Amino acid sequence: MNTAYLASLAAIASSICASPAQADTYPSKPITIVVPSAAAGSTDIMARMIGDQLGKALGQSVIVDNKPGASGNIGTEAVARAAPDGYTLLMQYSGYHVGNPALFPQIRWKTSDFAPIALVMRAPHVIAVSGTLPATNLKELISNGQKNGKGLFFASSGNGSIQHIAGEMFARQAKVQATHVPYKGAGPVVTDLISGQVDMFITTPPSVIGQVQAGKIKAMAYAGPKRHPSMPTVPTTAEAGLPGYEVESWFALFAPAKTPPEVVARLTAQVKTIVESEAFRKKVEDQGAFAAYMDPPALGKFVDQETALWAKVIKDGNIKPD
């Protein structure tokens, strides 16, 4: 029998036998969670909260690697192309995951490039403005933008992010001129919002709640159906005079497609325990959001629904990357 053929059979047999052993010993080295945006934003905060507890549960270091740029596409593509072995994961922000496919038809990744692990957080947005703006409530903010001759300059963590879409939706509904200023993540936005370089940032609360509580940023309204317990004095958008304006983001952990099911199952089980713990729930609520677990099948279905929903919003609103 051909020697090369025998060697090939041996290699196949070896890989088949090794697979269960690899699953049993996972993880045997540090795990990296890629964040496709800059440090200090909600995605980064969530990756570090999950990563810290996941590392303790698995007995391995979990490293958070920020890869900002191209509206989240650089970091997202890096994970899509990573080895499907469970050692490179993606903490993903919904605006990138379900908005980018409709906004950037030339991107080199698709949602099917990822294996869902778990949903970890849902966060209605807060309309945050610079403390330098002469407005104490949402109606005054809109009036100021309509009368000052230049409108409002609103920031986002990148072209095509839900923050970008939320700003365009706000401008249409409030009938105010608004200019989009994209950044590579929420961290740099907050710095410029405090100094008054930009006027408004419609984002998930974890990115801004500390500065709101410190009085450096003003929260005009919470874009959810009810007030959040961490910001009891901040009215909902309906209460503030903009009924029907609601925006929510979510954050979830993914692995590259074809990651072994046993590895995904182990990660999912650990993340479920973390997200459903009282300590994690309280920590997330203190950030102005809500802990929310969803398993892989439910998350996969949810991603498909959200992708279709945001594609329609983007098409109907004729929203395009700047």
Side-chain angles (χ1 to χ4, degrees), residues 198-230:
V198 289
D199 301 320
M200 182 173 69
F201 187 30
I202 304 173
T203 190
T204 50
S207 300
V208 296
I209 193 168
Q211 302 301 336
V212 168
Q213 292 170 342
K216 296 180 180 180
I217 292 173
K218 292 183 283 191
M220 297 282 101
Y222 189 67
K226 60 182 180 180
R227 296 191 186 197
H228 194 280
S230 70

Side-chain angles (χ1 to χ4, degrees), residues 107-131:
I107 58 174
R108 294 181 291 183
W109 62 267
K110 52 189 180 297
T111 57
S112 60
D113 288 332
F114 301 94
I117 293 174
L119 183 78
V120 297
M121 183 176 81
R122 299 182 79 146
H125 285 212
V126 62
I127 301 175
V129 302
S130 172

Side-chain angles (χ1 to χ4, degrees), residues 196-266:
Q197 298 299 307
V198 289
D199 301 320
M200 182 173 69
F201 187 30
I202 304 173
T203 190
T204 50
S207 300
V208 296
I209 193 168
Q211 302 301 336
V212 168
Q213 292 170 342
K216 296 180 180 180
I217 292 173
K218 292 183 283 191
M220 297 282 101
Y222 189 67
K226 60 182 180 180
R227 296 191 186 197
H228 194 280
S230 70
M231 298 179 288
T233 62
V234 178
T236 65
T237 44
E239 292 172 330
L242 203 64
Y245 182 84
E246 293 186 7
V247 184
E248 180 184 85
S249 289
W250 48 264
F251 300 81
L253 194 65
F254 295 88
K258 299 183 181 179
T259 297
E262 299 87 353
V263 171
V264 171
R266 180 152 194 217

Side-chain angles (χ1 to χ4, degrees), residues 31-33 35 43-65 89 91 120 253 267 270-271 273-275 277 279-280 283:
I31 296 167
T32 296
I33 298 179
V35 172
T43 316
D44 179 68
I45 292 168
M46 190 49 43
R48 294 178 192 280
M49 285 175 62
I50 290 289
D52 178 60
Q53 295 301 310
L54 188 61
K56 292 175 182 176
L58 294 175
Q60 281 289 346
S61 299
V62 176
I63 301 160
V64 174
D65 183 11
L89 309 176
M91 180 58 74
V120 297
L253 194 65
L267 289 167
Q270 296 297 343
V271 173
T273 299
I274 294 166
V275 174
S277 70
F280 184 85
K283 195 174 288 188

Side-chain angles (χ1 to χ4, degrees), residues 51-107:
D52 178 60
Q53 295 301 310
L54 188 61
K56 292 175 182 176
L58 294 175
Q60 281 289 346
S61 299
V62 176
I63 301 160
V64 174
D65 183 11
N66 297 86
K67 291 184 180 293
S71 299
N73 289 317
I74 290 175
T76 302
E77 184 184 346
V79 179
R81 302 291 168 258
D85 54 12
Y87 291 99
T88 304
L89 309 176
L90 174 70
M91 180 58 74
Q92 185 63 301
Y93 156 59
S94 60
Y96 293 155
H97 207 66
V98 298
N100 284 10
L103 279 156
F104 303 99
Q106 302 306 315
I107 58 174

